[in-house]
Amino acid sequence: AQSVSQHNHHVILSEAASLELGCNYSYGGTVNLFWYVQYPGQHLQLLLKYFSGDPLVKGIKGFEAEFIKSKFSFNLRKPSVQWSDTAEYFCAVWATGGNEKLTFGTGTRLTIIP
Amino acid sequence: DAGVTQSPTHLIKTRGQHVTLRCSPISGHKSVSWYQQVLGQGPQFIFQYYEKEERGRGNFPDRFSARQFPNYSSELNVNALLLGDSALYLCASSSTTSGNIQYFGAGTRLSVL
């Protein structure tokens, strides 16, 4: 069965700092990878996705993620964070050919200090 | 276009009671999935339905059941509620044309006392 690990439980950064949130998954086959964001009081929103092709994918609001197959990783990055990026971030994996479900990590709470 | 809508928004029940949560998918989406999100955790998969048939089931007890209707809306039922069932229950819909991208509703906050 697939699983997802997010290494950082809570990250605190100042505005304009660079961000990298770690995500590792375990599954031997082909995967689709996602980052979702949950802003305070709002529902889960898709930030970006990787299905195939270029391993560097760009999402909304200046976020990007790189799929490194050899490391089973899909880390989220942003060069310069803003106060409005304060939110909970979830990495998720869909194992193609496996159970038809989205498996989430435990989430990383990001707090941006103005 | 309306997104995924869930009702009710909040619900308070006591142990042993039964609860029904409802979800309407995005128009044109035929697949609905249910997730449980306990505070401080990521969403945990409960069920997926496609064209009114169960396509996947997570590691939840038989007290949890669901169904999908001809208009693709869905219900999640939980019997004999336990304190540990207190959580945010999320519904997500997807379409075959958008791959496995799940679009989430705002959720139903269930408190079991």
Side-chain angles (χ1 to χ4, degrees):
Chain A
Q2 62 268 35
S3 65
V4 180
S5 297
Q6 292 184 244
H7 319 296
N8 314 105
H9 182 65
H10 188 192
V11 174
I12 302 173
L13 295 172
S14 298
E15 274 191 312
S18 64
L19 169 72
E20 181 160 2
L21 301 183
C23 172
N24 285 89
Y25 68 92
S26 67
Y27 183 71
T30 304
V31 293
N32 296 153
L33 296 161
F34 305 85
W35 276 96
Y36 281 87
V37 61
Q38 191 168 32
Y39 297 104
Q42 297 187 27
H43 62 276
L44 275 168
Q45 301 173 42
L46 181 68
L47 201 53
L48 48 77
K49 64 187 184 297
Y50 172 81
F51 284 177
S52 64
D54 189 345
L56 184 63
V57 293
K58 296 190 184 300
I60 60 172
K61 305 188 179 185
F63 286 91
E64 64 179 31
E66 185 175 13
F67 171 49
I68 303 179
K69 189 175 181 180
S70 61
K71 294 184 178 180
F72 298 89
S73 70
F74 191 55
N75 292 353
L76 181 71
R77 301 195 292 248
K78 186 170 184 178
S80 176
V81 294
Q82 300 172 309
W83 178 79
S84 58
D85 293 325
T86 295
E88 187 100 24
Y89 292 81
F90 294 95
C91 181
V93 60
W94 183 286
T96 62
N99 293 327
E100 295 286 325
K101 65 176 185 177
L102 199 56
T103 300
F104 284 85
T106 53
T108 296
R109 186 154 62 101
L110 176 65
T111 301
I112 305 301
I113 302 170
Chain B
D1 281 343
V4 177
T5 56
Q6 293 187 242
S7 63
T9 306
H10 294 89
L11 206 49
I12 299 175
K13 293 285 188 178
T14 56
R15 281 179 298 174
Q17 284 190 310
H18 163 269
V19 69
T20 297
L21 310 180
R22 295 177 174 82
C23 170
S24 291
I26 292 171
S27 178
H29 286 194
K30 298 181 179 179
S31 177
V32 169
S33 298
W34 288 95
Y35 296 81
Q36 180 195 66
Q37 187 177 14
V38 174
L39 200 61
Q41 301 283 329
Q44 295 284 315
F45 172 77
I46 309 176
F47 287 109
Q48 185 195 29
Y49 275 78
Y50 177 74
E51 289 277 18
K52 303 183 289 295
E53 292 193 0
E54 183 182 301
R55 287 282 295 272
R57 173 184 285 254
N59 191 22
F60 280 79
D62 292 343
R63 299 184 295 107
F64 288 76
S65 63
R67 55 180 176 168
Q68 187 177 30
F69 299 98
N71 66 353
Y72 304 110
S73 67
S74 177
E75 282 183 355
L76 176 69
N77 295 283
V78 187
N79 293 324
L81 285 167
L82 303 174
L83 296 179
D85 294 331
S86 295
L88 180 67
Y89 288 85
L90 298 169
C91 176
S93 73
S94 61
S95 73
T96 52
T97 57
S98 65
N100 301 318
I101 299 173
Q102 308 262 298
Y103 296 89
F104 286 84
T108 294
R109 174 75 62 187
L110 172 65
S111 299
V112 181
L113 305 178

